[in-house]
Amino acid sequence: MPRINFHQQLAALKDKLLAMAALSQQALELSVEAYVTRDVALASHVLEIEKAINAAETTVDEMAYELLAKEQPMAVDLRFILSVIKINGDLERIGDQATGIARRAINLDVKPRIHLPIDIKDMGEKVGVMIRRAVQALLEADAKLGESVLAMDDEIDRMNRAVQTELIDVMQQTPSCSEQALSAIIISRNLERAADHATNIAEDVIFWVRGSDVRHKLSLVEAD
Amino acid sequence: MPRINFHQQLAALKDKLLAMAALSQQALELSVEAYVTRDVALASHVLEIEKAINAAETTVDEMAYELLAKEQPMAVDLRFILSVIKINGDLERIGDQATGIARRAINLDVKPRIHLPIDIKDMGEKVGVMIRRAVQALLEADAKLGESVLAMDDEIDRMNRAVQTELIDVMQQTPSCSEQALSAIIISRNLERAADHATNIAEDVIFWVRGSDVRHKLSLVEAD
């Protein structure tokens, strides 16, 4: 019953990837909370989660490699496994962005807190939703849900540009706040990048769901 | 003679990846030149190169997929193909960083030029060397050369941190220069990120060259 075993392994791969997605999403959300509330202990916890994410990335890659090496996956499964490898990389990079935010929260601990005319918390929540939706789209093979992630990315890009415009103004008006303003700009860019990775994941899901169909139809035509 | 055909396809995949690497490296080097010399036409050219990089990424992915779908690559070839998929993603992201730098060069065109106490040109050249070495390591399956890329990454990280410290100082002393200083900080981060991708490539090469050996030995032991 090698095929049954194969499908069990495929299910295990999906489970592992979903567990990793949960870690990445959690890391990102906690890093924003740590920055907003200046919670150094929480920021340090994010750095711990990142280690778990890196370990999970290696495991997912190895599982995908084993599946490719020992089985001869059919077109749709092959495309799924290749999507998993790419999504795995994007999730790890979301973890990197969370780490960047957490490190900045730790470094800012010694600086006076100032009010900045931006809403990082809101931006972080939106990016969290994007990651959750992208993963749900994968789980349910839902290309339409994937598309909703792409639409949200435009909004995050706009927010990121607005943050930059606002904070250059702050830097010029209140130079003593430059360092805090710069940190906020960079955290905004970290979030924008995490949103890009969520977008990549959604695109991979759409490609997997729709592309595999297209490919399957093509191979029927091409077969000779 | 399907195996001969397979090795021809593998060689074609490698060639295509190397062509893509040349584009990414060129985009990065030209983007830095465009920023340093404020050459808007050159910056626009980088945006054109990025389109070619994106097209090449899709082609490489499809070639890799075809190889996996139609052949049953042996362990060492399988690992090479999976490395190509990952390296492909890193090269595309180097193109993204180059685009970020080029866009900033275009936007800065209307701002007065000021002297900043940093050397983006030098940093850009070092990152160019890293990309070139990482690709050469792939071409020659040279893990040792790959390791030299990892060592250079530490230097780029140091340079990036120094740029930030210097330019926060500029922002506080000369608020009217905040926007130009911020651009330089972000370009420095773009370069640091491109260096990270070169490092990822080098790590993939090392993993491919050494990991495949380890794996091969393991599979001899594990076989039952």
Side-chain angles (χ1 to χ4, degrees):
Chain A
M1 313 190 294
R3 279 287 133 182
I4 290 175
N5 185 36
F6 171 69
H7 283 290
Q8 279 172 347
Q9 283 179 271
L10 212 55
L13 178 66
K14 203 170 176 177
D15 284 349
K16 188 73 199 171
L17 188 76
L18 291 174
M20 176 158 172
L23 284 174
S24 296
Q25 186 197 318
Q26 190 188 35
L28 192 87
E29 289 177 351
L30 294 183
S31 72
V32 172
E33 195 183 328
Y35 166 69
V36 172
T37 62
R38 294 286 170 89
D39 185 336
V40 172
L42 190 60
S44 302
H45 180 54
V46 172
L47 305 187
E48 289 303 312
I49 298 175
E50 205 228 355
K51 287 182 199 160
I53 292 173
N54 290 344
E57 188 199 17
T58 306
T59 306
V60 168
D61 267 354
E62 287 303 314
M63 287 170 82
Y65 174 80
E66 288 299 316
L67 269 171
L68 291 174
K70 296 194 176 154
E71 315 279 339
Q72 282 91 45
M74 312 293 282
V76 64
D77 294 331
L78 175 59
R79 197 160 277 275
F80 174 73
I81 295 169
L82 294 181
S83 296
V84 166
I85 290 174
K86 293 199 166 215
I87 291 169
N88 192 32
D90 279 306
L91 289 171
E92 192 269 332
R93 282 169 167 126
I94 288 172
D96 283 347
Q97 301 304 326
T99 306
I101 296 170
R103 288 230 172 85
R104 218 154 261 274
I106 293 169
N107 290 338
L108 276 175
D109 191 43
V110 292
K111 300 275 159 195
R113 287 191 70 163
I114 53 166
H115 175 75
L116 294 170
I118 54 162
D119 194 344
I120 290 288
K121 195 171 187 298
D122 179 45
M123 202 173 162
E125 278 165 10
K126 287 193 167 67
V127 176
V129 170
M130 287 176 71
I131 300 170
R132 236 171 297 148
R133 280 198 194 169
V135 171
Q136 204 190 335
L138 172 74
L139 189 63
E140 298 171 8
D142 184 342
K144 250 194 139 50
L145 191 61
E147 278 172 355
S148 76
V149 175
L150 310 195
M152 287 186 78
D153 193 40
D154 293 336
E155 194 185 346
I156 298 295
D157 286 344
R158 266 195 305 277
M159 291 175 95
N160 180 46
R161 279 195 297 273
V163 163
Q164 188 164 316
T165 309
E166 288 286 350
L167 296 186
I168 286 175
D169 210 47
V170 168
M171 286 170 172
Q172 284 169 343
Q173 304 299 323
T174 327
S176 61
C177 295
S178 289
E179 195 160 351
Q180 291 93 326
L182 175 63
S183 285
I185 287 176
I186 289 176
I187 287 170
S188 168
R189 287 174 60 87
N190 286 133
L191 289 174
E192 186 264 332
R193 237 150 231 286
D196 281 349
H197 291 301
T199 303
N200 289 346
I201 293 170
E203 283 172 351
D204 278 326
V205 171
I206 294 169
F207 190 45
W208 164 54
V209 175
R210 301 216 172 121
S212 60
D213 288 347
V214 172
R215 204 149 258 289
H216 187 58
K217 278 173 203 147
L218 273 179
S219 70
L220 289 179
V221 177
E222 277 172 4
D224 56 355
Chain B
M1 313 188 292
R3 278 288 134 182
I4 290 173
N5 186 35
F6 172 69
H7 282 291
Q8 278 171 349
Q9 283 179 273
L10 212 55
L13 178 67
K14 201 169 177 176
D15 284 350
K16 188 72 199 175
L17 188 77
L18 291 174
M20 175 157 172
L23 284 174
S24 296
Q25 185 198 320
Q26 190 188 34
L28 192 88
E29 290 177 351
L30 294 182
S31 72
V32 172
E33 194 181 330
Y35 166 70
V36 172
T37 63
R38 294 287 171 89
D39 184 336
V40 172
L42 190 59
S44 303
H45 180 55
V46 171
L47 305 187
E48 289 304 312
I49 298 174
E50 204 227 357
K51 288 181 198 161
I53 291 172
N54 290 344
E57 187 199 17
T58 305
T59 306
V60 168
D61 267 353
E62 287 303 313
M63 287 169 82
Y65 174 80
E66 288 299 316
L67 269 169
L68 290 174
K70 295 195 176 155
E71 315 278 339
Q72 282 91 43
M74 312 295 282
V76 63
D77 294 330
L78 175 59
R79 197 159 277 274
F80 174 73
I81 295 169
L82 294 181
S83 297
V84 165
I85 291 173
K86 293 198 165 218
I87 291 169
N88 192 31
D90 279 306
L91 289 172
E92 192 268 332
R93 283 170 166 125
I94 288 172
D96 283 346
Q97 301 304 325
T99 306
I101 295 170
R103 288 231 173 84
R104 218 154 259 274
I106 292 169
N107 290 337
L108 276 176
D109 191 43
V110 293
K111 299 277 158 194
R113 290 191 68 163
I114 52 167
H115 175 74
L116 295 170
I118 55 161
D119 194 345
I120 291 288
K121 193 171 189 295
D122 179 44
M123 203 174 160
E125 278 166 8
K126 286 194 167 65
V127 176
V129 170
M130 287 176 72
I131 300 170
R132 234 170 298 146
R133 279 197 194 170
V135 172
Q136 204 190 335
L138 172 74
L139 189 64
E140 298 171 7
D142 185 342
K144 250 196 140 50
L145 191 61
E147 279 172 355
S148 77
V149 176
L150 311 196
M152 287 185 79
D153 193 41
D154 293 335
E155 192 183 349
I156 297 295
D157 286 344
R158 264 195 305 278
M159 290 174 96
N160 180 45
R161 279 195 296 273
V163 163
Q164 188 163 317
T165 308
E166 288 285 349
L167 295 186
I168 286 176
D169 210 47
V170 168
M171 286 171 172
Q172 285 170 342
Q173 304 300 322
T174 327
S176 61
C177 295
S178 289
E179 195 161 351
Q180 291 95 325
L182 175 63
S183 284
I185 286 176
I186 290 178
I187 287 171
S188 168
R189 286 174 60 87
N190 285 133
L191 289 174
E192 186 264 332
R193 235 149 232 286
D196 281 348
H197 291 301
T199 303
N200 290 346
I201 294 170
E203 282 172 351
D204 278 326
V205 171
I206 294 168
F207 190 45
W208 164 53
V209 175
R210 300 214 173 125
S212 60
D213 288 347
V214 172
R215 205 150 256 289
H216 188 58
K217 278 171 203 152
L218 273 179
S219 69
L220 289 179
V221 177
E222 276 171 5
D224 57 356

